[in-house]
Amino acid sequence: MKEVVLSGIRPTGQLHLGNYFGALRNFVRIQEQYRCYYFIADLHSLTTHPHPADFHANVKAILAQYLAAGLDPAKSCIYIQSDVPEVSELYVLLNMLAYKGELERTAAFKDKVRKNPENVNAGLLTYPVLMASDILVHRSNWVPVGKDQDQHLEMARVFAKRFNNFYGVEVFPEPHAMDFGSGSIKVPGLDGNGKMGKSEGNGIYLIDDEKTITKKVMRAVTDSGPTAPDSPKPDVIENLFTLLKLVSTPETVAYFDEKWKDCSIRYGDLKKQLAADICAITLPIRERILEIENDDAFLARVVREGREQARESAAATLKEVRKAVGFREF
Ligand code: TRP
């Protein structure tokens, strides 16, 4: 039997090139070798009280973007977290084994308390329990997430082991971070920042049109140019070359590299090429996003099939969990 991979997607913001060449490419790549579950974490996002009027549209937008970028419902189970009540049931049960002290010590929780002291709700405190429920409800083995989720994942292992020990069962395997090593690429931002991110406002989004992309790239931060032949590239220029390497041919990269080395480089030319090559990759995805967003029947089918598969797997786990806890039929 295939090992199980699971990851949660926050229904906020738009996918940018950093996501595309990072997590998303890995999600897409592992779809054949593993039984993959990918879900939109809409319950998690309620901790910050999104407006009900925008909620559905945000979920739909992010789902369409992941589908357009290569998540394949024929290979993976793609679902909406709130469609699977077993997740919430497991969350209640795991909450009984999660201690206030350990939850309060979570770095992400402390961070949120510091930033939003007016909204320290219990959902925020028990965020790691809900995340553990997501993972454990399918008895997942691997979770492809970044370093920032290491502590949450460690807590999922703690809760899994604690449940097994407390009830003397072997219901949950210990989930581990799926490490892509050299396969995970860090995409730089356009502002000289080392990393493209949604909070940084330095990103190119899969939904951006040609004009927007060109404008953003032409405005990317550069310097006043190389001052001596063969000089090392400062970070802002290295960043542009890193982007170029991701989207352009090796010949194009070599061409501009030569131009840099002999000091004849014109950043305007480099940026024009970079913008064109980014567009060649993202514009077809943008087209698919718009197509999918307009295809309600397709989306409804994907979500329904995802829900059915996810609930089947989750129900099988909950059956064992309920038995372990001592629930019996009358
Ligand atoms: N906490 C994750 C994030 O902030 C999202 C998430 C929720 C998740 N549940 C998960 C990730 C389960 C992996 C597995 O990005």
Side-chain angles (χ1 to χ4, degrees):
M1 223 170 68
K2 280 184 185 174
E3 293 196 26
V4 174
V5 170
L6 169 136
S7 200
I9 297 161
R10 271 175 283 142
T12 48
Q14 315 279 358
L15 277 175
H16 53 66
L17 280 186
N19 305 126
Y20 182 71
F21 287 110
L24 207 137
R25 233 180 33 164
N26 293 328
F27 284 6
V28 171
R29 207 161 44 193
I30 58 179
Q31 286 182 112
E32 330 252 341
Q33 298 108 285
Y34 296 89
R35 176 60 181 145
C36 295
Y37 292 88
Y38 299 119
F39 68 94
I40 311 286
D42 59 347
L43 291 175
H44 276 106
S45 74
L46 290 175
T47 54
T48 56
H49 308 152
H51 202 287
D54 316 324
F55 200 43
H56 178 74
N58 292 341
V59 170
K60 181 174 167 180
I62 204 77
L63 177 64
Q65 292 183 28
Y66 272 86
L67 291 169
L71 288 199
D72 184 351
K75 295 178 186 155
S76 304
C77 175
I78 301 163
Y79 66 98
I80 313 294
Q81 184 185 29
S82 63
D83 271 351
V84 182
E86 288 81 2
V87 171
S88 299
E89 186 179 353
L90 184 55
Y91 167 69
V92 171
L93 299 173
L94 290 180
N95 262 325
M96 309 306 168
L97 297 176
Y99 296 103
K100 178 170 164 277
E102 66 190 334
L103 296 171
E104 280 171 343
R105 281 193 298 276
T106 314
F109 176 70
K110 288 198 284 191
D111 198 46
K112 287 191 179 130
V113 171
R114 209 175 315 117
K115 288 190 184 137
N116 304 302
E118 76 296 341
N119 183 30
V120 185
N121 61 61
L124 206 58
L125 181 68
T126 57
Y127 186 108
V129 186
L130 183 54
M131 181 160 160
S133 306
D134 293 325
I135 297 168
L136 301 179
V137 85
H138 301 300
R139 287 175 272 195
S140 313
N141 308 98
W142 302 104
V143 185
V145 283
K147 282 258 160 287
D148 63 321
Q149 297 296 318
D150 273 357
Q151 195 181 19
H152 286 153
L153 208 47
E154 173 59 23
M155 294 173 85
R157 282 191 289 275
V158 168
F159 299 144
K161 278 186 283 191
R162 198 175 287 160
F163 185 95
N164 288 346
N165 288 338
F166 192 88
Y167 292 111
V169 290
E170 273 300 327
V171 175
F172 300 122
E174 273 184 55
H176 290 281
M178 188 170 238
D179 183 7
F180 292 96
S182 58
S184 50
I185 294 163
K186 198 168 99 183
V187 180
L190 293 171
D191 55 353
N193 191 318
K195 192 169 184 252
M196 189 177 283
K198 55 177 159 241
S199 43
E200 285 82 356
N202 61 5
I204 291 180
Y205 295 89
L206 296 183
I207 196 69
D208 284 346
D209 61 16
E210 184 169 5
K211 215 171 118 200
T212 307
I213 291 173
T214 308
K215 204 161 76 189
K216 284 181 178 177
V217 174
M218 296 314 284
R219 278 205 206 126
V221 177
T222 51
D223 63 356
S224 50
T227 48
D230 290 324
S231 49
K233 299 187 186 91
D235 285 349
V236 285
I237 304 305
E238 194 61 61
N239 285 350
L240 287 183
F241 273 86
T242 302
L243 284 168
L244 198 67
K245 277 180 208 147
L246 284 172
V247 297
S248 304
T249 63
E251 291 73 31
T252 302
V253 178
Y255 171 85
F256 285 104
D257 221 24
E258 275 311 305
K259 295 264 171 194
W260 167 267
K261 283 194 184 125
D262 68 15
C263 301
S264 67
I265 193 161
R266 293 195 342 214
Y267 292 140
D269 295 344
L270 168 66
K271 288 174 172 181
K272 255 189 230 148
Q273 182 73 47
L274 180 58
D277 292 339
I278 289 174
C279 283
I281 290 177
T282 59
L283 292 186
I285 301 174
R286 172 185 155 80
E287 285 302 305
R288 277 207 297 282
I289 294 171
L290 298 177
E291 245 171 61
I292 292 173
E293 280 199 313
N294 284 313
D295 193 344
D296 286 338
F298 171 71
L299 279 172
R301 180 168 61 78
V302 169
V303 169
R304 176 171 41 78
E305 288 174 4
R307 175 175 54 226
E308 283 166 5
Q309 291 171 30
R311 287 203 66 186
E312 189 183 325
S313 151
T317 303
L318 260 296
K319 198 172 166 202
E320 294 196 28
V321 167
R322 295 176 122 261
K323 192 170 132 209
V325 169
F327 294 146
R328 298 282 183 274
E329 270 181 45
F330 280 91

